[in-house]
Amino acid sequence: AYNCLIHFYKRHVLVNNYKFGVIYQRVNQTSEEAMLSNQSHSPAMDRFLDILGHRVTLTSHKGYRGGLDTQFGQTGQYSVYTEHMGKEVMYHVATLLPFSETEPQQLQRKRHIGNDIVSLVFQEASTPFSPDMVTSHFLHAY
């Protein structure tokens, strides 16, 4: 699945750096607001993130940053990153981006994930997902 995502993205844009969103969908969550409001994720998603790459502390990260703040911590403390065959991938993990108590639409999270071309949706159990749940002009693959 990982190689298919890279291949799909690579056919459309010839670059060496990629940024993909990762959204956590709990059971019975059927809206963008609900999914982007998750403040934590499950141990199963932790294992999934470990498959995608390794956790990096953003302030000490030296590779591709995918638009994340590596100086002042404004986009969170950690993210998930990998390098594969000379290609760098930074994941915009919704639950690792800053959460706002006063912003129901979670625009900080939406700003990153909504501008990615590809987003992975990690689902707990068999909750239905439709691309219509996430409003974006950029996302093309889930």
Side-chain angles (χ1 to χ4, degrees), residues 18-26 35-56 58 65-69 74-82 89-100 106-116 118-123 139:
Y18 304 91
K19 51 186 184 156
F20 297 145
V22 181
I23 300 170
Y24 178 59
Q25 184 182 22
R26 293 186 194 278
M35 291 184 286
L36 292 180
S37 291
N38 289 322
Q39 294 182 56
S40 62
H41 54 257
S42 68
M45 181 159 158
D46 263 332
R47 290 189 295 275
F48 176 67
L49 294 174
D50 289 342
I51 292 168
L52 294 179
H54 58 277
R55 304 282 167 109
V56 293
L58 288 173
R65 60 187 190 90
L68 298 178
D69 177 17
Q74 294 188 354
T75 54
Q77 212 175 351
Y78 306 101
S79 193
V80 175
Y81 167 88
T82 193
V89 180
M90 178 61 79
Y91 291 93
H92 294 150
V93 182
T95 53
L96 298 179
L97 291 166
F99 173 80
S100 171
Q106 300 302 318
L107 294 178
Q108 169 80 330
R109 292 174 171 188
K110 175 81 175 181
R111 179 171 69 100
H112 290 287
I113 294 171
N115 286 311
D116 294 335
V118 174
S119 192
L120 307 171
V121 180
F122 184 88
Q123 297 178 289
L139 277 171

